[in-house]
Amino acid sequence: QEFNEIFAEKDLLHFRTFGYGHSFGTLSHYYGREAGLELREDVDTVIQPGHVVSMEPMLTIPVGVPGLESAAGGYREHDILVVNKTGATNITGFGYGPEANTILA
């Protein structure tokens, strides 16, 4: 929600996308992402305690947007969550926000 508020204030919300739910573990390592375990509209995944999933809010601004000609590029946060009985624990341990995740070119 915090990202949505920031994007909306700057009239960028329509450029937001969201990657979410791909799993981690042995199958991912050997076979790639398991579509049946992803959180998608076309998959009936039931999240249970012990599952590990990703949450990835993203912002992608294409080249040539009027008023943003010099701003083409993207930004993505990537959190890894361990689901428990009462919610989830974020185990990412990396800084949040543009200040911690921006590389100036």
Side-chain angles (χ1 to χ4, degrees):
Q1 184 172 343
E2 182 180 348
F3 279 111
N4 286 346
E5 291 170 5
I6 293 168
F7 296 159
E9 285 175 17
K10 301 188 180 300
D11 194 30
L12 300 173
L13 188 57
H14 55 287
F15 293 117
R16 183 200 48 91
T17 58
F18 202 87
Y20 55 91
H22 72 73
S23 58
F24 296 89
T26 303
L27 287 177
S28 290
H29 176 73
Y30 290 106
Y31 302 110
R33 290 165 49 168
E34 312 89 277
L37 298 177
E38 292 192 12
L39 307 177
R40 302 186 328 212
E41 291 78 13
D42 62 331
V43 176
D44 294 325
T45 302
V46 176
I47 299 177
Q48 299 175 20
H51 285 179
V52 179
V53 298
S54 70
M55 300 302 278
E56 306 168 24
M58 298 172 263
L59 178 69
T60 304
I61 301 174
V63 173
V65 174
L68 297 174
E69 290 83 0
S70 63
Y75 178 80
R76 175 189 294 203
E77 294 271 352
H78 187 122
D79 291 330
I80 299 173
L81 306 175
V82 179
V83 179
N84 57 50
K85 290 182 181 181
T86 59
T89 301
N90 186 338
I91 63 169
T92 305
F94 198 76
Y96 289 99
E99 299 80 21
N101 296 290
T102 301
I103 299 171
L104 299 177

